[in-house]
Short mmCIF file of all heavy atoms in Angstrom, two decimals:
data_model
loop_
_atom_site.label_atom_id
_atom_site.label_comp_id
_atom_site.label_asym_id
_atom_site.label_seq_id
_atom_site.Cartn_x
_atom_site.Cartn_y
_atom_site.Cartn_z
N VAL A 92 3.75 0.85 0.35
CA VAL A 92 3.22 0.96 1.71
C VAL A 92 1.78 1.48 1.70
O VAL A 92 0.92 0.96 2.42
CB VAL A 92 4.14 1.84 2.59
CG1 VAL A 92 3.47 2.19 3.90
CG2 VAL A 92 5.45 1.12 2.84
N LEU A 93 1.49 2.46 0.87
CA LEU A 93 0.12 2.97 0.79
C LEU A 93 -0.84 1.88 0.33
O LEU A 93 -1.98 1.81 0.81
CB LEU A 93 0.05 4.18 -0.15
CG LEU A 93 0.71 5.46 0.37
CD1 LEU A 93 0.76 6.51 -0.73
CD2 LEU A 93 0.00 5.99 1.60
N GLY A 94 -0.38 1.02 -0.54
CA GLY A 94 -1.21 -0.10 -0.99
C GLY A 94 -1.44 -1.15 0.07
O GLY A 94 -2.42 -1.89 0.02
N GLN A 95 -0.55 -1.23 1.03
CA GLN A 95 -0.70 -2.18 2.14
C GLN A 95 -1.62 -1.62 3.22
O GLN A 95 -2.34 -2.37 3.87
CB GLN A 95 0.65 -2.49 2.77
CG GLN A 95 1.60 -3.24 1.88
CD GLN A 95 3.02 -3.24 2.43
OE1 GLN A 95 3.30 -2.69 3.49
NE2 GLN A 95 3.93 -3.87 1.69
N ARG A 96 -1.57 -0.32 3.42
CA ARG A 96 -2.31 0.29 4.52
C ARG A 96 -3.81 0.34 4.27
O ARG A 96 -4.60 0.35 5.18
CB ARG A 96 -1.78 1.70 4.77
CG ARG A 96 -0.39 1.72 5.34
CD ARG A 96 0.23 3.10 5.23
NE ARG A 96 -0.58 4.14 5.78
CZ ARG A 96 -0.47 4.62 7.02
NH1 ARG A 96 0.45 4.15 7.81
NH2 ARG A 96 -1.25 5.58 7.45
N LEU A 97 -4.21 0.46 3.01
CA LEU A 97 -5.62 0.47 2.62
C LEU A 97 -6.42 1.60 3.27
O LEU A 97 -7.58 1.42 3.64
CB LEU A 97 -6.27 -0.89 2.90
CG LEU A 97 -5.63 -2.08 2.20
CD1 LEU A 97 -6.32 -3.38 2.60
CD2 LEU A 97 -5.63 -1.91 0.70
N ASP A 98 -5.81 2.76 3.38
CA ASP A 98 -6.51 3.95 3.89
C ASP A 98 -7.23 4.60 2.71
O ASP A 98 -6.59 5.05 1.76
CB ASP A 98 -5.48 4.91 4.50
CG ASP A 98 -6.10 6.19 5.01
OD1 ASP A 98 -7.31 6.43 4.81
OD2 ASP A 98 -5.36 6.99 5.62
N PRO A 99 -8.57 4.65 2.73
CA PRO A 99 -9.31 5.22 1.61
C PRO A 99 -8.88 6.65 1.23
O PRO A 99 -9.02 7.05 0.08
CB PRO A 99 -10.77 5.21 2.08
CG PRO A 99 -10.81 4.20 3.17
CD PRO A 99 -9.45 4.20 3.81
N LYS A 100 -8.34 7.38 2.19
CA LYS A 100 -7.89 8.75 1.91
C LYS A 100 -6.69 8.78 0.96
O LYS A 100 -6.36 9.82 0.42
CB LYS A 100 -7.51 9.47 3.21
CG LYS A 100 -8.67 9.72 4.12
CD LYS A 100 -8.19 10.37 5.40
CE LYS A 100 -9.31 10.50 6.39
NZ LYS A 100 -8.84 11.01 7.69
N THR A 101 -6.04 7.64 0.78
CA THR A 101 -4.85 7.61 -0.07
C THR A 101 -5.14 7.11 -1.49
O THR A 101 -4.24 7.02 -2.31
CB THR A 101 -3.73 6.76 0.56
OG1 THR A 101 -4.17 5.40 0.67
CG2 THR A 101 -3.34 7.30 1.92
N ILE A 102 -6.40 6.82 -1.78
CA ILE A 102 -6.74 6.37 -3.13
C ILE A 102 -6.43 7.44 -4.16
O ILE A 102 -5.81 7.16 -5.20
CB ILE A 102 -8.22 5.92 -3.21
CG1 ILE A 102 -8.40 4.61 -2.44
CG2 ILE A 102 -8.67 5.76 -4.66
CD1 ILE A 102 -9.84 4.13 -2.34
N SER A 103 -6.82 8.66 -3.89
CA SER A 103 -6.59 9.75 -4.85
C SER A 103 -5.10 9.96 -5.15
O SER A 103 -4.72 10.04 -6.32
CB SER A 103 -7.25 11.03 -4.35
OG SER A 103 -7.13 12.05 -5.30
N PRO A 104 -4.23 10.02 -4.13
CA PRO A 104 -2.80 10.14 -4.44
C PRO A 104 -2.26 8.94 -5.22
O PRO A 104 -1.37 9.10 -6.06
CB PRO A 104 -2.14 10.24 -3.06
CG PRO A 104 -3.19 10.72 -2.15
CD PRO A 104 -4.48 10.18 -2.69
N LEU A 105 -2.80 7.75 -4.96
CA LEU A 105 -2.36 6.58 -5.72
C LEU A 105 -2.82 6.68 -7.18
O LEU A 105 -2.09 6.30 -8.09
CB LEU A 105 -2.87 5.29 -5.07
CG LEU A 105 -2.14 4.87 -3.81
CD1 LEU A 105 -2.89 3.74 -3.10
CD2 LEU A 105 -0.71 4.47 -4.10
N ILE A 106 -4.01 7.19 -7.39
CA ILE A 106 -4.49 7.39 -8.76
C ILE A 106 -3.57 8.37 -9.50
O ILE A 106 -3.26 8.17 -10.68
CB ILE A 106 -5.97 7.86 -8.77
CG1 ILE A 106 -6.88 6.71 -8.35
CG2 ILE A 106 -6.36 8.41 -10.14
CD1 ILE A 106 -8.33 7.09 -8.13
N GLU A 107 -3.11 9.40 -8.80
CA GLU A 107 -2.16 10.34 -9.41
C GLU A 107 -0.89 9.64 -9.87
O GLU A 107 -0.29 10.02 -10.87
CB GLU A 107 -1.80 11.45 -8.41
CG GLU A 107 -2.93 12.42 -8.15
CD GLU A 107 -2.57 13.43 -7.08
OE1 GLU A 107 -1.36 13.66 -6.82
OE2 GLU A 107 -3.51 14.00 -6.49
N ARG A 108 -0.47 8.61 -9.17
CA ARG A 108 0.75 7.90 -9.53
C ARG A 108 0.57 7.08 -10.81
O ARG A 108 1.54 6.63 -11.41
CB ARG A 108 1.20 6.97 -8.38
CG ARG A 108 1.58 7.72 -7.11
CD ARG A 108 2.92 8.45 -7.09
NE ARG A 108 3.31 9.33 -8.13
CZ ARG A 108 3.15 10.67 -8.15
NH1 ARG A 108 2.56 11.29 -7.18
NH2 ARG A 108 3.58 11.37 -9.17
N LEU A 109 -0.67 6.90 -11.27
CA LEU A 109 -0.90 6.19 -12.53
C LEU A 109 -0.35 6.99 -13.72
O LEU A 109 -0.15 6.42 -14.79
CB LEU A 109 -2.40 5.92 -12.73
CG LEU A 109 -3.04 4.95 -11.74
CD1 LEU A 109 -4.55 4.88 -11.99
CD2 LEU A 109 -2.41 3.57 -11.82
N ASP A 110 -0.10 8.27 -13.51
CA ASP A 110 0.48 9.13 -14.56
C ASP A 110 1.96 9.40 -14.30
O ASP A 110 2.53 10.30 -14.91
CB ASP A 110 -0.28 10.45 -14.63
CG ASP A 110 -1.70 10.27 -15.14
OD1 ASP A 110 -1.91 9.40 -16.00
OD2 ASP A 110 -2.60 10.99 -14.67
N ASP A 111 2.57 8.66 -13.41
CA ASP A 111 3.97 8.88 -13.06
C ASP A 111 4.86 8.69 -14.30
O ASP A 111 4.51 7.94 -15.22
CB ASP A 111 4.40 7.88 -11.97
CG ASP A 111 5.68 8.27 -11.28
OD1 ASP A 111 6.76 7.97 -11.82
OD2 ASP A 111 5.59 8.89 -10.20
N SER A 112 5.98 9.37 -14.31
CA SER A 112 6.92 9.23 -15.43
C SER A 112 7.57 7.84 -15.48
O SER A 112 8.02 7.40 -16.52
CB SER A 112 8.01 10.31 -15.34
OG SER A 112 8.72 10.17 -14.11
N SER A 113 7.58 7.15 -14.35
CA SER A 113 8.18 5.82 -14.27
C SER A 113 7.13 4.74 -14.48
O SER A 113 6.10 4.70 -13.79
CB SER A 113 8.83 5.63 -12.89
OG SER A 113 9.09 4.28 -12.66
N MET A 114 7.40 3.83 -15.39
CA MET A 114 6.50 2.70 -15.64
C MET A 114 6.43 1.80 -14.39
O MET A 114 5.38 1.23 -14.10
CB MET A 114 6.99 1.91 -16.86
CG MET A 114 5.96 0.95 -17.40
SD MET A 114 4.41 1.74 -17.94
CE MET A 114 4.97 2.77 -19.28
N THR A 115 7.52 1.70 -13.67
CA THR A 115 7.54 0.91 -12.43
C THR A 115 6.55 1.47 -11.43
O THR A 115 5.77 0.72 -10.81
CB THR A 115 8.96 0.88 -11.82
OG1 THR A 115 9.84 0.30 -12.77
CG2 THR A 115 8.99 0.11 -10.51
N ILE A 116 6.54 2.78 -11.26
CA ILE A 116 5.63 3.41 -10.30
C ILE A 116 4.19 3.24 -10.77
O ILE A 116 3.29 2.96 -9.96
CB ILE A 116 5.97 4.91 -10.10
CG1 ILE A 116 7.40 5.07 -9.60
CG2 ILE A 116 4.96 5.58 -9.16
CD1 ILE A 116 7.71 4.39 -8.29
N ARG A 117 3.94 3.37 -12.04
CA ARG A 117 2.58 3.17 -12.57
C ARG A 117 2.11 1.75 -12.24
O ARG A 117 0.98 1.54 -11.81
CB ARG A 117 2.55 3.36 -14.08
CG ARG A 117 2.70 4.77 -14.52
CD ARG A 117 2.57 4.83 -16.03
NE ARG A 117 3.09 6.08 -16.53
CZ ARG A 117 3.24 6.35 -17.80
NH1 ARG A 117 2.95 5.45 -18.72
NH2 ARG A 117 3.71 7.51 -18.18
N THR A 118 2.98 0.78 -12.47
CA THR A 118 2.64 -0.61 -12.22
C THR A 118 2.38 -0.85 -10.73
O THR A 118 1.40 -1.51 -10.36
CB THR A 118 3.77 -1.54 -12.73
OG1 THR A 118 3.98 -1.28 -14.12
CG2 THR A 118 3.43 -3.00 -12.54
N LEU A 119 3.22 -0.29 -9.88
CA LEU A 119 3.02 -0.43 -8.43
C LEU A 119 1.72 0.25 -8.00
O LEU A 119 1.03 -0.24 -7.09
CB LEU A 119 4.20 0.16 -7.67
CG LEU A 119 5.50 -0.63 -7.77
CD1 LEU A 119 6.65 0.16 -7.15
CD2 LEU A 119 5.36 -1.99 -7.08
N ALA A 120 1.39 1.37 -8.62
CA ALA A 120 0.14 2.07 -8.28
C ALA A 120 -1.08 1.22 -8.65
O ALA A 120 -2.05 1.16 -7.89
CB ALA A 120 0.09 3.42 -8.97
N VAL A 121 -1.02 0.54 -9.80
CA VAL A 121 -2.11 -0.36 -10.19
C VAL A 121 -2.25 -1.46 -9.14
O VAL A 121 -3.36 -1.75 -8.67
CB VAL A 121 -1.86 -0.95 -11.59
CG1 VAL A 121 -2.83 -2.10 -11.87
CG2 VAL A 121 -2.00 0.13 -12.66
N GLU A 122 -1.14 -2.07 -8.75
CA GLU A 122 -1.17 -3.13 -7.73
C GLU A 122 -1.73 -2.60 -6.42
O GLU A 122 -2.55 -3.26 -5.77
CB GLU A 122 0.23 -3.69 -7.50
CG GLU A 122 0.77 -4.51 -8.64
CD GLU A 122 2.22 -4.93 -8.43
OE1 GLU A 122 2.85 -4.51 -7.44
OE2 GLU A 122 2.72 -5.71 -9.26
N ALA A 123 -1.28 -1.41 -6.02
CA ALA A 123 -1.74 -0.83 -4.76
C ALA A 123 -3.24 -0.56 -4.79
O ALA A 123 -3.95 -0.86 -3.83
CB ALA A 123 -0.97 0.47 -4.48
N LEU A 124 -3.74 -0.02 -5.90
CA LEU A 124 -5.16 0.27 -6.00
C LEU A 124 -6.00 -1.00 -6.00
O LEU A 124 -7.08 -1.04 -5.41
CB LEU A 124 -5.44 1.11 -7.25
CG LEU A 124 -4.96 2.55 -7.16
CD1 LEU A 124 -4.95 3.21 -8.54
CD2 LEU A 124 -5.82 3.35 -6.18
N ALA A 125 -5.49 -2.06 -6.62
CA ALA A 125 -6.22 -3.33 -6.63
C ALA A 125 -6.38 -3.89 -5.22
O ALA A 125 -7.37 -4.57 -4.92
CB ALA A 125 -5.51 -4.34 -7.53
N ASN A 126 -5.43 -3.59 -4.35
CA ASN A 126 -5.51 -4.07 -2.96
C ASN A 126 -6.75 -3.54 -2.24
O ASN A 126 -7.21 -4.14 -1.27
CB ASN A 126 -4.26 -3.68 -2.17
CG ASN A 126 -3.05 -4.47 -2.61
OD1 ASN A 126 -3.15 -5.53 -3.21
ND2 ASN A 126 -1.87 -3.94 -2.31
N PHE A 127 -7.26 -2.41 -2.69
CA PHE A 127 -8.44 -1.82 -2.04
C PHE A 127 -9.70 -2.62 -2.33
O PHE A 127 -10.70 -2.48 -1.64
CB PHE A 127 -8.62 -0.36 -2.47
CG PHE A 127 -7.65 0.58 -1.82
CD1 PHE A 127 -6.40 0.79 -2.37
CD2 PHE A 127 -7.98 1.25 -0.65
CE1 PHE A 127 -5.49 1.65 -1.76
CE2 PHE A 127 -7.09 2.11 -0.04
CZ PHE A 127 -5.84 2.31 -0.60
N GLU A 128 -9.66 -3.44 -3.39
CA GLU A 128 -10.80 -4.26 -3.78
C GLU A 128 -12.09 -3.43 -3.85
O GLU A 128 -13.15 -3.84 -3.38
CB GLU A 128 -10.95 -5.46 -2.85
CG GLU A 128 -9.75 -6.39 -2.93
CD GLU A 128 -9.86 -7.62 -2.06
OE1 GLU A 128 -10.87 -7.79 -1.36
OE2 GLU A 128 -8.91 -8.42 -2.09
N ASP A 129 -11.97 -2.27 -4.46
CA ASP A 129 -13.08 -1.34 -4.62
C ASP A 129 -13.44 -1.29 -6.10
O ASP A 129 -12.68 -0.76 -6.92
CB ASP A 129 -12.66 0.04 -4.10
CG ASP A 129 -13.79 1.05 -4.13
OD1 ASP A 129 -14.77 0.86 -4.88
OD2 ASP A 129 -13.69 2.05 -3.40
N ARG A 130 -14.59 -1.84 -6.44
CA ARG A 130 -15.00 -1.92 -7.85
C ARG A 130 -15.14 -0.54 -8.50
O ARG A 130 -15.11 -0.45 -9.72
CB ARG A 130 -16.30 -2.70 -7.97
CG ARG A 130 -16.10 -4.17 -7.69
CD ARG A 130 -17.34 -4.95 -7.91
NE ARG A 130 -17.03 -6.37 -7.70
CZ ARG A 130 -17.92 -7.31 -7.69
NH1 ARG A 130 -19.18 -7.01 -7.90
NH2 ARG A 130 -17.57 -8.56 -7.49
N ARG A 131 -15.28 0.50 -7.70
CA ARG A 131 -15.38 1.85 -8.27
C ARG A 131 -14.07 2.25 -8.96
O ARG A 131 -14.05 3.19 -9.75
CB ARG A 131 -15.74 2.87 -7.19
CG ARG A 131 -17.15 2.64 -6.63
CD ARG A 131 -17.41 3.55 -5.48
NE ARG A 131 -16.51 3.17 -4.38
CZ ARG A 131 -16.47 3.77 -3.21
NH1 ARG A 131 -17.25 4.78 -2.96
NH2 ARG A 131 -15.65 3.35 -2.28
N LEU A 132 -13.00 1.54 -8.69
CA LEU A 132 -11.71 1.84 -9.33
C LEU A 132 -11.60 1.22 -10.73
O LEU A 132 -10.65 1.49 -11.45
CB LEU A 132 -10.57 1.33 -8.45
CG LEU A 132 -10.41 2.04 -7.12
CD1 LEU A 132 -9.44 1.28 -6.22
CD2 LEU A 132 -9.93 3.46 -7.34
N THR A 133 -12.58 0.42 -11.10
CA THR A 133 -12.51 -0.28 -12.38
C THR A 133 -12.33 0.67 -13.56
O THR A 133 -11.44 0.46 -14.39
CB THR A 133 -13.78 -1.14 -12.60
OG1 THR A 133 -13.86 -2.09 -11.53
CG2 THR A 133 -13.74 -1.87 -13.92
N LEU A 134 -13.13 1.70 -13.65
CA LEU A 134 -13.04 2.62 -14.79
C LEU A 134 -11.68 3.30 -14.85
O LEU A 134 -11.11 3.50 -15.93
CB LEU A 134 -14.16 3.65 -14.75
CG LEU A 134 -15.58 3.07 -14.91
CD1 LEU A 134 -16.63 4.16 -14.79
CD2 LEU A 134 -15.72 2.32 -16.22
N THR A 135 -11.13 3.64 -13.69
CA THR A 135 -9.80 4.25 -13.64
C THR A 135 -8.76 3.27 -14.16
O THR A 135 -7.90 3.64 -14.96
CB THR A 135 -9.46 4.66 -12.18
OG1 THR A 135 -10.44 5.59 -11.73
CG2 THR A 135 -8.09 5.27 -12.08
N LEU A 136 -8.85 2.04 -13.73
CA LEU A 136 -7.86 1.04 -14.15
C LEU A 136 -8.03 0.64 -15.62
O LEU A 136 -7.05 0.31 -16.29
CB LEU A 136 -7.91 -0.19 -13.24
CG LEU A 136 -7.46 0.06 -11.81
CD1 LEU A 136 -7.59 -1.21 -10.97
CD2 LEU A 136 -6.04 0.57 -11.76
N LEU A 137 -9.25 0.68 -16.12
CA LEU A 137 -9.47 0.36 -17.53
C LEU A 137 -8.65 1.28 -18.44
O LEU A 137 -8.20 0.87 -19.51
CB LEU A 137 -10.95 0.43 -17.89
CG LEU A 137 -11.79 -0.79 -17.48
CD1 LEU A 137 -13.28 -0.50 -17.67
CD2 LEU A 137 -11.37 -2.02 -18.26
N GLU A 138 -8.45 2.51 -18.01
CA GLU A 138 -7.65 3.47 -18.79
C GLU A 138 -6.21 2.96 -18.97
O GLU A 138 -5.57 3.26 -19.97
CB GLU A 138 -7.62 4.84 -18.10
CG GLU A 138 -8.96 5.54 -18.08
CD GLU A 138 -9.43 5.92 -19.47
OE1 GLU A 138 -8.60 6.43 -20.26
OE2 GLU A 138 -10.62 5.71 -19.76
N MET A 139 -5.73 2.19 -18.02
CA MET A 139 -4.35 1.70 -18.07
C MET A 139 -4.18 0.61 -19.14
O MET A 139 -3.06 0.28 -19.51
CB MET A 139 -3.91 1.18 -16.70
CG MET A 139 -4.00 2.21 -15.58
SD MET A 139 -3.20 3.78 -15.95
CE MET A 139 -1.49 3.28 -15.93
N LEU A 140 -5.28 0.07 -19.64
CA LEU A 140 -5.19 -0.95 -20.69
C LEU A 140 -4.74 -0.37 -22.02
O LEU A 140 -4.45 -1.11 -22.95
CB LEU A 140 -6.54 -1.67 -20.86
CG LEU A 140 -6.99 -2.55 -19.69
CD1 LEU A 140 -8.35 -3.17 -19.99
CD2 LEU A 140 -5.96 -3.62 -19.37
N ARG A 141 -4.64 0.94 -22.10
CA ARG A 141 -4.16 1.60 -23.31
C ARG A 141 -2.64 1.58 -23.41
O ARG A 141 -2.07 1.96 -24.41
CB ARG A 141 -4.65 3.04 -23.35
CG ARG A 141 -6.14 3.16 -23.45
CD ARG A 141 -6.57 4.59 -23.49
NE ARG A 141 -8.02 4.67 -23.52
CZ ARG A 141 -8.70 5.77 -23.38
NH1 ARG A 141 -8.07 6.91 -23.23
NH2 ARG A 141 -10.00 5.75 -23.41
N SER A 142 -1.99 1.14 -22.36
CA SER A 142 -0.53 1.14 -22.31
C SER A 142 0.06 0.16 -23.32
O SER A 142 -0.52 -0.90 -23.59
CB SER A 142 -0.06 0.76 -20.91
OG SER A 142 1.35 0.64 -20.89
N ASP A 143 1.21 0.51 -23.83
CA ASP A 143 1.96 -0.39 -24.70
C ASP A 143 2.91 -1.27 -23.89
O ASP A 143 3.52 -2.18 -24.44
CB ASP A 143 2.78 0.41 -25.72
CG ASP A 143 1.90 1.14 -26.71
OD1 ASP A 143 0.78 0.67 -26.98
OD2 ASP A 143 2.33 2.20 -27.22
N ASN A 144 3.05 -0.98 -22.60
CA ASN A 144 3.97 -1.73 -21.77
C ASN A 144 3.32 -3.04 -21.34
O ASN A 144 2.30 -3.05 -20.64
CB ASN A 144 4.38 -0.90 -20.54
CG ASN A 144 5.37 -1.62 -19.68
OD1 ASN A 144 5.02 -2.53 -18.94
ND2 ASN A 144 6.63 -1.22 -19.78
N LYS A 145 3.92 -4.13 -21.73
CA LYS A 145 3.39 -5.46 -21.47
C LYS A 145 3.16 -5.72 -19.98
O LYS A 145 2.12 -6.25 -19.58
CB LYS A 145 4.36 -6.50 -22.04
CG LYS A 145 4.03 -7.92 -21.74
CD LYS A 145 5.08 -8.84 -22.35
CE LYS A 145 4.89 -10.27 -21.97
NZ LYS A 145 5.85 -11.14 -22.67
N TYR A 146 4.11 -5.33 -19.16
CA TYR A 146 4.02 -5.64 -17.72
C TYR A 146 2.96 -4.80 -17.02
O TYR A 146 2.25 -5.31 -16.16
CB TYR A 146 5.40 -5.52 -17.07
CG TYR A 146 6.36 -6.47 -17.75
CD1 TYR A 146 7.31 -6.02 -18.66
CD2 TYR A 146 6.25 -7.85 -17.55
CE1 TYR A 146 8.14 -6.92 -19.33
CE2 TYR A 146 7.08 -8.75 -18.21
CZ TYR A 146 8.02 -8.27 -19.10
OH TYR A 146 8.82 -9.15 -19.77
#
Side-chain angles (χ1 to χ4, degrees):
V92 168
L93 289 171
Q95 293 167 1
R96 291 165 53 95
L97 302 177
D98 178 354
K100 293 178 186 174
T101 63
I102 289 175
S103 185
L105 285 169
I106 289 172
E107 289 175 21
R108 296 285 50 94
L109 294 175
D110 292 325
D111 197 277
S112 60
S113 164
M114 195 59 64
T115 300
I116 301 301
R117 288 183 197 172
T118 303
L119 289 171
V121 168
E122 289 174 355
L124 288 166
N126 289 340
F127 284 86
E128 297 181 0
D129 184 339
R130 289 184 177 173
R131 294 174 294 179
L132 294 169
T133 300
L134 296 178
T135 301
L136 293 178
L137 281 170
E138 293 294 316
M139 302 309 291
L140 292 179
R141 296 180 183 170
S142 175
D143 293 332
N144 182 283
K145 174 180 174 175
Y146 301 104

